[in-house]
Amino acid sequence: MEQRRVIERHGVSAMPEHRRTARPASVTWVLVGSNLSLSATVFGWLPVTYGLSWWQIVAAAVAGTALGLMVAAPLALLGFRAGTSNTVAAGAHFGVRGRLVGSLIGLLLSLGYTAVAIWTGGEAVVAVLARLSDAVPDSVPGAGPGEAARAAAYAGIAVLVAALAVGGFELISRISALLVAPMALVLAAGVVAYAPGFDPSWSAAAAGRPDGASAWILALVTAGISGPVAYATIIGDYTRYLSPRRHSAASVVWSSAAGLFCGLLAPTLFGAFVAISTRAESAYLESLVRAAPAWYVPLLLFAAVAGCLGAAGVPLYNMGLELHGLFPRTSRTAGAAVATAITVGLVFAGRSTVGVEQAVTGFVVVLTVLATPWAVIALIGHLRCGRVYDVRDLQVHNKSLSGGRYWYAGGWNPRACAAWLAGAAVGLLDADSPLYTGPLVVVTGGLDVGFLLSALVAACVYLLLGTGHRAGEPIPDWRQAYLWPAAGR
């Protein structure tokens, strides 16, 4: 019997059948547990800052999440069929070197969401400590924790998250499953705690904010579509542990969709509920802690630390895998450690240079535009290749070799890459955020539909150009020594 490893050593190489022992429910728990966190509630606060009321936010979050799931949930099949991460599996469509496009997108998405999670946890801890210090008799008002305490909070959370990411899939899935019940209770208790101040008709002052349809579409992206799309490159990290010999494709898609829908929507709506109840037009976390009843403050402290484990651990785990895929000679654990250091540096740099609302909104809008065409091309390619992958030829880049059916032109599929570039370029030209407004926004009536244009353009270009695959590509000699079989239909 194989001895259970405390730290996962496996990188992006094809997962052997004997290790694909997870169940679809395991993926659901990871997706739910990693999103029931304070950092995910920030995306419910953002639409409040746009001037939207409760029911407008609910409509945008539900519709956006459903739209995002139409693209993200089926992509769970890439890792499931190929036995590797989604970005490596996408090498079948972009080329074994062209898959680096997806790796770069995945790194940026994971870096941003990890930074948001660590920032949220650290700021919440500091805000709770500040409130507790003000409640101590004879304390000086406003003389709470300073920058040293904030740095210690960031560092402490980063260390915990890094340990989880280094541990790997089994540890992440266990911790995520354990967090579901307590974090669900924390959010439910929060509804009771903040209910007295809730007014569904209230909205923030409109001065300097997007108007009407523009604000709602922006909320559709930031509070809805961006959540599932952010998992387009990540979800295969977990579905590669599911065996196609024991589980159906439908069970994988539905378990992924259920995990994403429940895990993303619940904290988003909670964040909107709390922001409206506390009138948090700015300084969301401070308002959250300041308005909390005394009995709820310890629960906020628990949520600040425990909630970050999954919220930052999942994207940080992905960053370790992506760095291992980009630099095969580095280990996954080393990649996770490097990613942690980069993320903490980004948190400090972003906090001192850009407002949180502007930074998060701009990051979400731009990366959604970049990730959506990649996801659409990968999904079309998955359907056109018959949902079957040669797992040996996908690993050419990781073995510093060449050749195989996914080699295309020097390891790149020019047609898929051209389709992604066309979609991303058009989408960026029509993107609108507090940090950047594209020139096509005027043409589309002031509405930011860059995510939609990027998807449509990428799909049309890719379908018109064709997949670029040619039968009879040379097969490298080492293939015969790589014994793990390709997944069946």
Side-chain angles (χ1 to χ4, degrees), residues 125-137 139 144-145 289 294 297-298 301:
V125 168
V126 171
V128 169
L129 294 179
R131 172 166 171 171
L132 293 177
S133 66
D134 288 342
V136 175
S139 64
V289 173
V297 173
L301 186 60

Side-chain angles (χ1 to χ4, degrees), residues 293-453:
W295 62 267
Y296 191 64
V297 173
L299 296 181
L300 282 176
L301 186 60
F302 169 81
V305 179
C308 279
L309 293 178
V314 166
L316 190 59
Y317 174 67
N318 174 259
M319 290 172 70
L321 283 174
E322 295 296 354
L323 288 173
H324 171 63
L326 288 171
F327 308 102
R329 294 186 179 182
T330 64
S331 66
R332 183 193 64 80
T333 53
V338 171
T340 303
I342 295 174
T343 303
V344 173
L346 180 65
V347 169
F348 280 105
R351 182 180 176 276
S352 61
T353 58
V354 185
V356 174
E357 174 195 343
Q358 293 81 4
V360 176
T361 299
F363 146 74
V364 166
V365 168
V366 171
L367 284 182
T368 299
V369 167
L370 295 178
T372 301
W374 180 90
V376 168
I377 293 169
L379 182 57
I380 294 174
H382 175 73
L383 296 174
R384 296 185 75 173
C385 76
R387 304 176 297 280
V388 175
Y389 298 86
D390 189 313
V391 298
R392 295 156 293 196
D393 286 358
L394 284 174
Q395 300 293 330
V396 167
H397 174 76
N398 300 331
K399 295 179 178 294
S400 302
L401 298 169
S402 61
R405 67 186 63 193
Y406 307 130
W407 187 246
Y408 297 103
W412 298 77
N413 182 356
R415 303 182 186 192
C417 293
W420 175 78
L421 284 172
V426 173
L428 288 175
L429 290 175
D430 194 50
D432 187 15
S433 74
L435 298 179
Y436 164 79
T437 299
L440 290 183
V441 173
V442 177
V443 179
T444 55
L447 302 179
D448 176 6
V449 291
F451 65 94
L452 179 60
L453 290 178

